[in-house]
PDB file of all heavy atoms in Angstrom:
ATOM      1  N   ASN A  94      29.774 -88.471  26.873  1.00 68.00           N
ATOM      2  CA  ASN A  94      30.738 -87.394  27.135  1.00 68.00           C
ATOM      3  C   ASN A  94      30.514 -86.259  26.187  1.00 68.00           C
ATOM      4  O   ASN A  94      30.088 -86.422  25.043  1.00 68.00           O
ATOM      5  CB  ASN A  94      32.107 -88.001  27.058  1.00 68.00           C
ATOM      6  CG  ASN A  94      32.378 -89.144  28.022  1.00 68.00           C
ATOM      7  OD1 ASN A  94      31.728 -89.178  29.035  1.00 68.00           O
ATOM      8  ND2 ASN A  94      33.384 -90.029  27.663  1.00 68.00           N
ATOM      9  N   ILE A  95      30.879 -85.056  26.647  1.00 69.00           N
ATOM     10  CA  ILE A  95      30.902 -83.906  25.751  1.00 69.00           C
ATOM     11  C   ILE A  95      32.342 -83.448  25.461  1.00 69.00           C
ATOM     12  O   ILE A  95      33.092 -83.166  26.521  1.00 69.00           O
ATOM     13  CB  ILE A  95      30.146 -82.745  26.381  1.00 69.00           C
ATOM     14  CG1 ILE A  95      28.617 -83.117  26.568  1.00 69.00           C
ATOM     15  CG2 ILE A  95      30.175 -81.497  25.480  1.00 69.00           C
ATOM     16  CD1 ILE A  95      27.757 -82.061  27.130  1.00 69.00           C
ATOM     17  N   TYR A  96      32.820 -83.510  24.350  1.00 66.00           N
ATOM     18  CA  TYR A  96      34.161 -83.165  24.079  1.00 66.00           C
ATOM     19  C   TYR A  96      34.262 -81.698  23.681  1.00 66.00           C
ATOM     20  O   TYR A  96      33.535 -81.201  22.885  1.00 66.00           O
ATOM     21  CB  TYR A  96      34.750 -84.070  22.931  1.00 66.00           C
ATOM     22  CG  TYR A  96      35.005 -85.447  23.370  1.00 66.00           C
ATOM     23  CD1 TYR A  96      33.920 -86.361  23.347  1.00 66.00           C
ATOM     24  CD2 TYR A  96      36.199 -85.902  23.814  1.00 66.00           C
ATOM     25  CE1 TYR A  96      34.065 -87.647  23.754  1.00 66.00           C
ATOM     26  CE2 TYR A  96      36.381 -87.204  24.191  1.00 66.00           C
ATOM     27  CZ  TYR A  96      35.355 -88.053  24.150  1.00 66.00           C
ATOM     28  OH  TYR A  96      35.483 -89.400  24.622  1.00 66.00           O
ATOM     29  N   THR A  97      35.206 -80.930  24.319  1.00 63.00           N
ATOM     30  CA  THR A  97      35.277 -79.545  24.067  1.00 63.00           C
ATOM     31  C   THR A  97      36.036 -79.123  22.744  1.00 63.00           C
ATOM     32  O   THR A  97      35.869 -78.043  22.244  1.00 63.00           O
ATOM     33  CB  THR A  97      35.994 -78.830  25.212  1.00 63.00           C
ATOM     34  OG1 THR A  97      37.395 -79.325  25.249  1.00 63.00           O
ATOM     35  CG2 THR A  97      35.304 -79.221  26.538  1.00 63.00           C
ATOM     36  N   GLY A  98      36.891 -80.083  22.275  1.00 58.00           N
ATOM     37  CA  GLY A  98      37.584 -79.831  21.054  1.00 58.00           C
ATOM     38  C   GLY A  98      38.840 -78.933  21.316  1.00 58.00           C
ATOM     39  O   GLY A  98      39.605 -78.589  20.430  1.00 58.00           O
ATOM     40  N   VAL A  99      39.087 -78.686  22.658  1.00 57.00           N
ATOM     41  CA  VAL A  99      40.299 -77.874  22.903  1.00 57.00           C
ATOM     42  C   VAL A  99      41.181 -78.728  23.862  1.00 57.00           C
ATOM     43  O   VAL A  99      40.740 -79.130  24.982  1.00 57.00           O
ATOM     44  CB  VAL A  99      39.897 -76.567  23.660  1.00 57.00           C
ATOM     45  CG1 VAL A  99      41.178 -75.784  24.033  1.00 57.00           C
ATOM     46  CG2 VAL A  99      39.008 -75.770  22.782  1.00 57.00           C
ATOM     47  N   ASN A 100      42.447 -78.998  23.406  1.00 54.00           N
ATOM     48  CA  ASN A 100      43.372 -79.808  24.247  1.00 54.00           C
ATOM     49  C   ASN A 100      42.753 -81.084  24.712  1.00 54.00           C
ATOM     50  O   ASN A 100      43.013 -81.554  25.875  1.00 54.00           O
ATOM     51  CB  ASN A 100      43.888 -78.955  25.455  1.00 54.00           C
ATOM     52  CG  ASN A 100      44.607 -77.767  25.023  1.00 54.00           C
ATOM     53  OD1 ASN A 100      45.335 -77.741  23.990  1.00 54.00           O
ATOM     54  ND2 ASN A 100      44.457 -76.598  25.790  1.00 54.00           N
ATOM     55  N   ASN A 101      41.932 -81.726  23.889  1.00 55.00           N
ATOM     56  CA  ASN A 101      41.410 -83.084  24.299  1.00 55.00           C
ATOM     57  C   ASN A 101      40.476 -83.031  25.496  1.00 55.00           C
ATOM     58  O   ASN A 101      40.397 -84.014  26.210  1.00 55.00           O
ATOM     59  CB  ASN A 101      42.501 -84.100  24.343  1.00 55.00           C
ATOM     60  CG  ASN A 101      43.270 -84.300  23.076  1.00 55.00           C
ATOM     61  OD1 ASN A 101      42.646 -84.385  22.067  1.00 55.00           O
ATOM     62  ND2 ASN A 101      44.524 -84.386  23.217  1.00 55.00           N
ATOM     63  N   GLY A 102      40.034 -81.851  25.836  1.00 57.00           N
ATOM     64  CA  GLY A 102      39.204 -81.807  27.052  1.00 57.00           C
ATOM     65  C   GLY A 102      37.838 -82.361  26.897  1.00 57.00           C
ATOM     66  O   GLY A 102      37.356 -82.472  25.686  1.00 57.00           O
ATOM     67  N   LYS A 103      37.273 -82.842  27.931  1.00 56.00           N
ATOM     68  CA  LYS A 103      35.832 -83.435  27.820  1.00 56.00           C
ATOM     69  C   LYS A 103      35.216 -83.257  29.177  1.00 56.00           C
ATOM     70  O   LYS A 103      35.764 -83.205  30.225  1.00 56.00           O
ATOM     71  CB  LYS A 103      35.863 -84.847  27.357  1.00 56.00           C
ATOM     72  CG  LYS A 103      36.708 -85.788  28.210  1.00 56.00           C
ATOM     73  CD  LYS A 103      36.821 -87.105  27.567  1.00 56.00           C
ATOM     74  CE  LYS A 103      37.734 -88.100  28.343  1.00 56.00           C
ATOM     75  NZ  LYS A 103      37.807 -89.432  27.710  1.00 56.00           N
ATOM     76  N   ILE A 104      33.790 -83.257  29.046  1.00 60.00           N
ATOM     77  CA  ILE A 104      32.913 -83.211  30.232  1.00 60.00           C
ATOM     78  C   ILE A 104      32.320 -84.631  30.384  1.00 60.00           C
ATOM     79  O   ILE A 104      31.665 -85.086  29.407  1.00 60.00           O
ATOM     80  CB  ILE A 104      31.900 -82.159  30.132  1.00 60.00           C
ATOM     81  CG1 ILE A 104      32.519 -80.832  29.908  1.00 60.00           C
ATOM     82  CG2 ILE A 104      30.934 -82.117  31.351  1.00 60.00           C
ATOM     83  CD1 ILE A 104      31.535 -79.693  29.636  1.00 60.00           C
ATOM     84  N   LEU A 105      32.594 -85.313  31.417  1.00 56.00           N
ATOM     85  CA  LEU A 105      32.085 -86.680  31.624  1.00 56.00           C
ATOM     86  C   LEU A 105      30.914 -86.678  32.468  1.00 56.00           C
ATOM     87  O   LEU A 105      30.826 -85.952  33.543  1.00 56.00           O
ATOM     88  CB  LEU A 105      33.252 -87.560  32.259  1.00 56.00           C
ATOM     89  CG  LEU A 105      34.534 -87.514  31.542  1.00 56.00           C
ATOM     90  CD1 LEU A 105      35.552 -88.475  32.336  1.00 56.00           C
ATOM     91  CD2 LEU A 105      34.460 -88.008  30.123  1.00 56.00           C
ATOM     92  N   SER A 106      29.908 -87.515  32.133  1.00 55.00           N
ATOM     93  CA  SER A 106      28.679 -87.601  32.931  1.00 55.00           C
ATOM     94  C   SER A 106      28.387 -89.032  33.128  1.00 55.00           C
ATOM     95  O   SER A 106      28.735 -89.917  32.378  1.00 55.00           O
ATOM     96  CB  SER A 106      27.547 -86.864  32.245  1.00 55.00           C
ATOM     97  OG  SER A 106      27.263 -87.480  30.999  1.00 55.00           O
TER      98      SER A 106
END
Side-chain angles (χ1 to χ4, degrees):
N94 302 335
I95 299 177
Y96 291 82
T97 64
V99 179
N100 296 326
N101 297 318
K103 56 185 175 181
I104 302 173
L105 308 178
S106 61

